[in-house]
Amino acid sequence: MVEINADRLLTTLRRLREFGATGTGVVRPTLSAVDMAARRWLAQRMADAGLDARIDGVGTLLGRSRRAGKAMLIGSHSDTQPRGGWLDGAMGVVYAIEIAHSLAEHADTAAFAVDAASWSDEEGSYFGFLGSRSFCGESMEHAIEQARNDKGERLAEAIAAAGLSHEPPHRLEPGRYLGYLEPHIEQGGVLEAAGQRIGVVTHIVGMRDFTIEITGRQNHAGTTPMRLRRDAGAAAIRLGNAIQSTMAGVAGPQSVWTIGRMSFDPGAPSIIPGRATFNQQVRDVEAGRLEAMEAHVRGLVAEAARAGPCGVAIVPSKDAVEPAAMDSGFQDALAAAAERHVPGGWRRMPSGAGHDAQVLARRMPAGMLFVPSIGGVSHDFAEDTSDEDIVLGCQVLATAAASILAAARGR
């Protein structure tokens, strides 16, 4: 059985944490100077593990094995949220490097091929899943020209500033891979609450994200009678409440729905808002349920527009993300490895967060493994996981990857 090097794993992960370290968290936005420094450092770690590493024209770092035969692709992302945790994505990239290194060091697995990936912009600073979508063959030309971050900076300019404008994209090589495995922190509290240490992911949620725009009439808040008002702010609150209070009627057991942002224009105490906007997001692991939730939101918007007195419109604010089922064979390999290393201390579970694995799953078998998040906290500087669980997760994934590769070679 392959054994990972726990000290090397934790040392690498902690060193990566230093790139963009801010308090207990990390700030490492996609294609920023610190992100590129981290990727160049990770490229050297991949080279140390015997991989040929290169950063492509959208920022994805891919380390390719020189071994013959079909490979396992393992990875995640190393960019962070604007105020992110130190493990979200980064842990999976370091797992990939450690597993490639460990397999090469053991006689029984030295011939096995593992490629390691750090996908670009999983967090969507410019364009969500930019790296994995490009790798899977989607044209990124329009996104590169049009996409901007929250500061208004263009993706094309960020690519040029990072010195990547002339780098060719990584592309999925037909026939190279047995599939893709992505390790990740859970980003929730299910495992911790159950006293379990490994999650085998069954499905990844799909998402629909909308901006709802309400147009009224700006006017004086003291001199305009209530009956004569076209208050866009009040209309936004009524519609938001209607969505929140009625969605349960069409939602399923895994459904979630969130108003993440609401704003009034001009937003002054003595002015009736003439315009209001809010964001509505819905998530579910079932495509049909997701469509029903979207239809429900659109129906309530149409009803509000008919009722007046304000105009109401809805527009998608991001590309739709489709739900994805993880490969049943990979689930079984991860479950068997989990049972071997922590008997009874694991469970099958869906992912409520989006991951690059749902993009890769369109083109190859894909699987995901979770380790617990302390307090269920993620996307926050307080995000953390115990060293013991980090090491256990890597060992479980290494065992599963080795078993998949061994089976493919008829062992």
Side-chain angles (χ1 to χ4, degrees), residues 267-291:
S270 295
I271 301 176
I272 299 165
R275 186 171 182 272
T277 61
F278 67 92
N279 168 266
Q280 179 69 56
Q281 185 185 88
V282 297
R283 300 188 185 210
D284 200 274
V285 297
E286 298 179 17
R289 186 74 65 181
L290 201 58
E291 291 168 4

Side-chain angles (χ1 to χ4, degrees), residues 101-242:
H101 217 148
S102 294
L103 290 178
E105 291 174 335
H106 289 76
D108 290 345
T109 57
F112 293 173
V114 169
D115 288 3
S118 176
W119 308 111
S120 181
D121 208 13
E122 190 270 356
E123 296 290 8
S125 294
Y126 295 94
F127 192 81
F129 306 128
L130 172 66
S132 55
R133 291 172 70 166
S134 175
F135 180 77
C136 287
E138 291 188 40
S139 174
M140 293 292 109
E141 292 181 5
H142 181 73
I144 290 171
E145 289 303 317
Q146 300 298 321
R148 298 174 183 267
N149 64 15
D150 289 343
K151 297 178 181 178
E153 298 163 341
R154 294 177 57 236
L155 175 57
E157 293 171 352
I159 288 172
L164 301 177
S165 297
H166 301 293
E167 288 292 334
H170 292 300
R171 286 285 190 260
L172 175 59
E173 181 182 322
R176 178 171 178 82
Y177 295 114
L178 294 169
Y180 174 67
L181 292 174
E182 181 163 357
H184 210 278
I185 56 171
E186 181 194 344
Q187 300 184 283
V190 173
L191 290 172
E192 184 180 69
Q196 294 174 313
R197 301 179 65 193
I198 296 291
V200 176
V201 176
T202 58
H203 299 78
I204 303 175
V205 295
M207 289 175 274
R208 300 288 187 273
D209 215 308
F210 307 101
T211 296
I212 296 173
E213 302 173 342
I214 300 173
T215 306
R217 179 181 295 156
Q218 181 178 326
N219 214 332
H220 195 295
T223 62
T224 309
M226 300 303 290
R227 69 181 184 280
L228 299 180
R229 295 185 178 204
R230 292 175 57 197
D231 187 333
I237 292 169
R238 286 195 299 271
L239 178 55
N241 182 65

Side-chain angles (χ1 to χ4, degrees), residues 188-388:
V190 173
L191 290 172
E192 184 180 69
Q196 294 174 313
R197 301 179 65 193
I198 296 291
V200 176
V201 176
T202 58
H203 299 78
I204 303 175
V205 295
M207 289 175 274
R208 300 288 187 273
D209 215 308
F210 307 101
T211 296
I212 296 173
E213 302 173 342
I214 300 173
T215 306
R217 179 181 295 156
Q218 181 178 326
N219 214 332
H220 195 295
T223 62
T224 309
M226 300 303 290
R227 69 181 184 280
L228 299 180
R229 295 185 178 204
R230 292 175 57 197
D231 187 333
I237 292 169
R238 286 195 299 271
L239 178 55
N241 182 65
I243 293 170
Q244 296 299 101
S245 62
T246 63
M247 187 67 80
V250 297
Q254 302 294 336
S255 302
V256 293
W257 55 99
T258 307
I259 294 176
R261 181 187 301 113
M262 183 176 282
S263 63
F264 298 165
D265 184 16
S270 295
I271 301 176
I272 299 165
R275 186 171 182 272
T277 61
F278 67 92
N279 168 266
Q280 179 69 56
Q281 185 185 88
V282 297
R283 300 188 185 210
D284 200 274
V285 297
E286 298 179 17
R289 186 74 65 181
L290 201 58
E291 291 168 4
M293 295 170 75
E294 176 180 345
H296 183 69
V297 173
R298 289 186 177 278
L300 290 173
V301 167
E303 183 179 319
R306 288 191 299 268
C310 296
V312 187
I314 181 171
V315 294
S317 50
K318 293 182 181 179
D319 288 348
V321 176
E322 298 304 321
M326 296 295 94
D327 180 77
S328 60
F330 283 10
Q331 288 185 51
D332 289 345
L334 289 166
E339 183 63 22
R340 179 174 184 173
H341 292 290
V342 56
W346 62 278
R347 67 163 52 200
R348 296 181 192 254
M349 61 187 297
S351 171
H355 299 284
D356 289 297
Q358 67 199 102
V359 177
L360 276 295
R362 302 173 196 164
R363 299 295 305 276
M364 67 177 81
M368 284 199 74
L369 173 146
F370 283 165
V371 296
S373 295
I374 295 173
V377 175
S378 183
H379 285 190
D380 187 273
F381 284 179
E383 172 186 284
D384 207 0
T385 294
S386 72
D387 287 356
E388 293 79 11

